[in-house]
Amino acid sequence: MKVKNLKQVDLKNKTILYRAPCDVGVKEVNGVLEVKDDLRIQAMVPTIEYLIKENCKIVILTYVGRPDGVVVEKLRTGPHAKRLSLLLNRPVLQVDDCVGPVVEEKIKSMQAGDVLMLENVRFYKGEMEDDDEFAKKLCAGKDIVVFDGFPQAMRIHASTTGIMRHLPAYAGFYLKKEVESLSNLLDNPEKPFTFVIGGAKISDKIDSLNNLLPKVDKVLVGGALANVFLRAQGKKLGSSFVEDVFVDEKKREKKDLVKYAGEILNIYKEKIVLPVDVVISLGSNVKNINIEDEVPDGWMALDIGSRTQQIFSDYIKNSKTVLLAGPMGKFEDEKMKEGTKVVLLAMKNLSGTTIIAGGDTIDATGEFASLEDYTHISLAGGATLEFLAGKELPALTMLQ
C-alpha cells in the first residue's frame, strides 16, 4: 500500500492539524501525572520537526483513553504535551479544549513554528460518533491534515476519517514507516520468512495468522497461544490457560478455537512448529518437561522449554525475515523469561529484516535488548494486527 507523502505538498506557512498517535496512558509519580511510555510520542518527533522547518503552525489532535464523552481529569493531554516538549526541546503550548472560540483564538495568536496540544477529543461524544459537524469544528482554522495516527487508523471517528472529509490529508513519517514496513511483509518479504507468534490469546491473532500462513515459511508458536494447538493434538496440559472458546459479541456467535487450531494444523502441518517441551510451574516449583508427558493437575505451562528454545532459535537464525507478535511465556517472571529472551536475541543477531509487534512484545524487547537492534517496532497494537490480516483500515483508505 502507498499513502500520500507529506513531501508531495507545499506546507510553507500552513496551519497543520496534526493527528497524533499518542493515545498513551499515564501514571502518578510523586503526585504528578506522567506518561507511562513515550514510544508513540517519540514517533511523532520527526514529523513535527519537519513541519517546524516548513514554518508551519502545528495543532496536535489526539484522544487518550475512553472518557466516553465526559471530562476525566486523569485523561487530559497535559502530560503528553509536557513529554513532547522535552523531546522537541521547545515549548508545547496547551489549550483546555479542542474546538470552539477559545481554541480558534489561540491558533490565530500562534507564530510559525509554534506547537499547540489540544485537549482530549474524546471528551466530546461527537468524536466516537464520527459526527460531521463536530469534524468540521475540529478543522476550523487549519489548512491541511497531517495524519500520523496509525494506531487509530481502524477507527471511523471524527478525528480520523471525519477530519479528512473536510481538509486535504497527507501521511506523517511515522504512519508512512508503519505502512511500508508492514506492507513489505505482506507483499514482498525476503525468504525464508518466519512468523513467531505468542501471547495469551489466539482470538486476537486469528485473522492475521490466517492471512500470513500462505506467505510464511514457518510459524513458531509459543506462549499460552501454543496451548490451543497442543490441546488440539490431544496433549494433557494440567491447569494451563487455554483459550478454547471465543465469543464474538458483534456477530453473536461462538468459535471453538481448539477445533479451529486442529483444522489449521491439518492444512499447514509442515509450516507450524509447536513446542516439544515446556517450563511448568506450581507455586515456587518449576521444571522443564517434554510435551509428550502430561502436565500434572495444578501445574501450568508458562514458557517454552530449553529444547524448543534451541529449535526456535535455529529457525530464526536461518531466516531472512522474522516477525514477532507476542512473548513466548510469562516473561515478567524471572523463572519464565528465557524463551522470550532467546527468541529476541536470535532476532537481534539476524542480518535480515526483524519486526516486533504488540505492547507486551515491545515491553519484553525493552527488557532483553535495545529497540534499535530491530528493523521496525510496530507501535499500533490492534491496527497492526488488522493490517496484517489484510483488513481495510478506513483512515488509510482515505490516505491512499
Side-chain angles (χ1 to χ4, degrees), residues 45-106:
V45 171
T47 301
I48 293 175
E49 287 183 336
Y50 178 81
L51 295 172
I52 290 170
K53 289 178 182 177
E54 294 294 300
N55 291 320
C56 297
K57 298 179 182 179
I58 302 115
V59 182
I60 301 174
L61 178 65
T62 191
Y63 63 65
V64 180
R66 296 180 179 272
D68 297 325
V70 297
V71 175
V72 177
E73 291 300 321
K74 287 190 174 182
L75 295 179
R76 290 190 179 276
T77 58
H80 306 75
K82 183 177 179 181
R83 183 62 63 89
L84 178 61
S85 177
L86 290 172
L87 293 170
L88 290 172
N89 195 29
R90 64 188 299 134
V92 174
L93 309 171
Q94 289 178 261
V95 61
D96 292 334
D97 210 335
C98 58
V99 293
V102 173
V103 173
E104 291 174 26
E105 284 301 314
K106 189 81 170 179

Side-chain angles (χ1 to χ4, degrees), residues 161-397:
T161 51
I163 56 176
M164 290 193 281
R165 290 195 297 267
H166 299 290
L167 289 175
Y170 296 84
F173 298 143
Y174 159 65
L175 182 141
K176 183 173 179 288
K177 184 179 180 183
E178 286 272 23
V179 169
E180 288 177 349
S181 297
L182 298 177
S183 292
N184 284 338
L185 285 181
L186 296 177
D187 302 332
N188 191 34
E190 191 174 1
K191 300 279 193 161
F193 176 12
T194 298
F195 183 19
V196 189
I197 188 169
K201 294 184 177 182
I202 189 171
S203 58
D204 295 337
K205 301 181 175 85
I206 282 177
D207 294 334
S208 55
L209 179 60
N210 279 334
N211 195 44
L212 285 169
L213 268 166
K215 308 172 190 293
V216 302
D217 296 285
K218 291 292 179 183
V219 178
L220 315 182
V221 188
L225 194 150
N227 295 341
V228 182
F229 289 91
L230 295 170
R231 174 72 62 80
Q233 291 182 328
K235 300 296 190 293
K236 304 296 184 182
L237 298 170
S239 300
S240 305
F241 173 74
V242 180
E243 188 192 20
D244 51 2
V245 175
F246 172 66
V247 179
D248 190 325
E249 295 180 359
K250 290 182 179 179
K251 296 181 179 179
R252 296 185 178 180
E253 63 185 25
K254 291 184 178 180
K255 188 176 186 70
D256 185 331
L257 297 176
V258 175
K259 180 181 177 182
Y260 160 80
E263 293 169 352
I264 291 296
L265 285 172
N266 286 335
I267 299 169
Y268 293 104
K269 59 184 177 182
E270 299 301 322
K271 286 190 175 185
I272 296 176
V273 182
L274 298 177
V276 297
D277 61 342
V278 290
V279 180
I280 62 173
S281 173
L282 175 61
S284 60
N285 298 314
V286 175
K287 57 184 177 180
N288 198 120
I289 68 165
N290 293 328
I291 203 62
E292 296 303 328
D293 300 330
E294 289 189 15
V295 177
D297 289 341
W299 292 71
M300 300 178 68
L302 294 176
D303 196 8
I304 56 173
S306 55
R307 286 172 56 217
T308 304
Q309 292 168 21
Q310 187 61 54
I311 292 167
F312 282 17
S313 180
D314 289 343
Y315 276 119
I316 291 168
K317 289 174 182 176
N318 289 305
S319 301
K320 294 292 186 182
T321 303
V322 180
L323 166 65
L324 173 62
M328 296 294 97
K330 190 180 179 182
F331 71 92
E332 304 91 343
D333 187 325
E334 185 70 22
K335 298 175 181 178
M336 302 296 170
K337 67 182 185 180
E338 198 62 25
T340 304
K341 180 180 179 180
V342 165
V343 164
L344 283 165
L345 293 181
M347 291 176 64
K348 174 183 175 180
N349 294 322
L350 191 71
S351 60
T353 299
T354 51
I355 295 181
I356 307 288
D360 288 342
T361 323
I362 294 168
D363 289 343
T365 306
E367 181 174 343
F368 304 129
S370 169
L371 298 181
E372 286 73 29
D373 293 329
Y374 303 90
T375 307
H376 180 63
I377 306 294
S378 184
L379 304 175
T384 298
L385 291 175
E386 292 211 6
F387 190 97
L388 292 174
K391 295 182 180 179
E392 179 181 291
L393 277 62
L396 292 190
T397 300

